Amino acid sequence: MLGSRIRAQQAYPLSFATDVISAFLIGLVEFAEMWVIFHNVPQLGGLNLNAMMLLFGLSNTAFAVADMLVGHADTLPTYIRMGKLDAFYLRPQPLLLQLMTSDIALRRVARIAVAATVLGVGIARNDIDWSAGNLALFTLTLVSGIAIFAGLFICAAGVQFFLIDGSELTNAFTYGGSYASMQPASVFPTPMKLVFGFLIPVAFTSYLPAIALLDLPGPALLPSALAWASPLAALWVWGLALLSWRVGTRHYQGGGG
């Protein structure tokens, strides 16, 4: 199924090239926004430009990979309205697995390339002690970050069974969570620290690992030692995601076609 989706996207080279360039430009614009801020201020939340490149790279790489793998879950309302989701129920495969493999947007590889490049530059420009512990933390962060963002997409998909046309609301938590993860959480007021640190734990995808790798203490509610708890944050998000998906699919009664 994935192979057929990939071949279909490559069938129209000009359209595919346009999509790739667009995704590449989106990644550049997001990086340019951060660069403009630090072109005018030397530090933000205790982080300088080099540290922010590390934070940006961790956040964007994890989100871009998750977006390519399961970001198309936000098309679920279209499947529901058109009655296409009913066909998924007829196939001998789990419904969630079919949704996750229903598409894969190769154009998002361009955004991954931008994020990975910034991450590489951030690693090179920061004086990080690459001990076995830090290497393990770096690997754990990327895997857990991808899992956290993927879980947010699935959680949002489960809610769509009730909202149908409420994708803008759920995007506030998926794409909004991605934007929040690109900021140093130390500048957030306490309520936002609680929301993006624990309820929607995107701080575990970038900020906490970045300050841990740079040997910085972090604010009171988000000390750097919490960076090692990123797998627990991923389990929390996926627990919510699977619950949301189960409740949503039990609520669904068909497209009526």
Side-chain angles (χ1 to χ4, degrees):
M1 291 176 64
L2 286 176
S4 67
R5 302 292 189 275
I6 293 172
R7 289 191 297 272
Q9 292 176 59
Q10 296 174 333
Y12 301 94
L14 181 59
S15 176
F16 177 70
T18 303
D19 285 344
V20 170
I21 293 172
S22 299
F24 181 77
L25 290 177
I26 289 173
L28 284 182
V29 167
E30 289 181 341
F31 173 72
E33 179 184 353
M34 181 197 69
W35 185 85
V36 167
I37 292 174
F38 280 88
H39 185 69
N40 293 279
V41 296
Q43 285 194 350
L44 182 65
L47 302 181
N48 58 20
L49 177 60
N50 291 339
M52 280 298 298
M53 291 180 73
L54 177 64
L55 185 150
F56 178 92
L58 287 171
S59 168
N60 254 29
T61 300
F63 179 80
V65 173
D67 191 26
M68 184 181 71
L69 295 178
V70 298
H72 48 276
D74 58 10
T75 61
L76 180 64
T78 303
Y79 291 157
I80 293 175
R81 287 194 300 268
M82 298 181 67
K84 290 185 176 181
L85 189 66
D86 293 3
F88 285 12
Y89 278 92
L90 301 177
R91 299 169 183 164
Q93 294 175 341
L95 183 63
L96 180 56
L97 179 62
Q98 289 187 69
L99 179 65
M100 292 172 65
T101 58
S102 63
D103 195 9
I104 183 168
L106 288 180
R107 66 180 183 276
R108 289 167 176 153
V109 172
R111 187 173 178 180
I112 296 174
V114 174
T117 300
V118 175
L119 177 58
V121 174
I123 291 173
R125 296 184 64 171
N126 284 285
D127 185 18
I128 301 174
D129 177 20
W130 288 109
S131 61
N134 280 347
L135 283 171
L137 177 60
F138 181 80
T139 304
L140 194 67
T141 295
L142 285 179
V143 175
S144 299
I146 294 169
I148 287 172
F149 285 123
L152 289 177
F153 276 114
I154 300 304
C155 190
V159 174
Q160 291 301 325
F161 283 104
F162 297 91
L163 300 179
I164 306 299
D165 288 317
S167 59
E168 294 302 324
L169 174 62
T170 56
N171 285 348
F173 297 98
T174 52
Y175 294 95
S178 169
Y179 186 80
S181 70
M182 292 188 288
Q183 316 303 321
S186 54
V187 302
F188 292 162
T190 299
M192 289 187 65
K193 284 190 178 77
L194 294 175
V195 170
F196 293 112
F198 302 100
L199 181 60
I200 306 172
V202 293
F204 287 86
T205 66
S206 53
Y207 175 71
L208 288 170
I211 61 175
L213 290 172
L214 297 173
D215 199 24
L216 299 174
L221 289 176
L222 296 170
S224 59
L226 280 180
W228 289 97
S230 56
L232 295 179
L235 287 175
W236 160 249
V237 171
W238 270 96
L240 291 178
L242 294 177
L243 176 62
S244 170
W245 183 258
R246 181 176 178 82
V247 172
T249 52
R250 286 178 174 271
H251 170 78
Y252 182 69
Q253 297 182 7

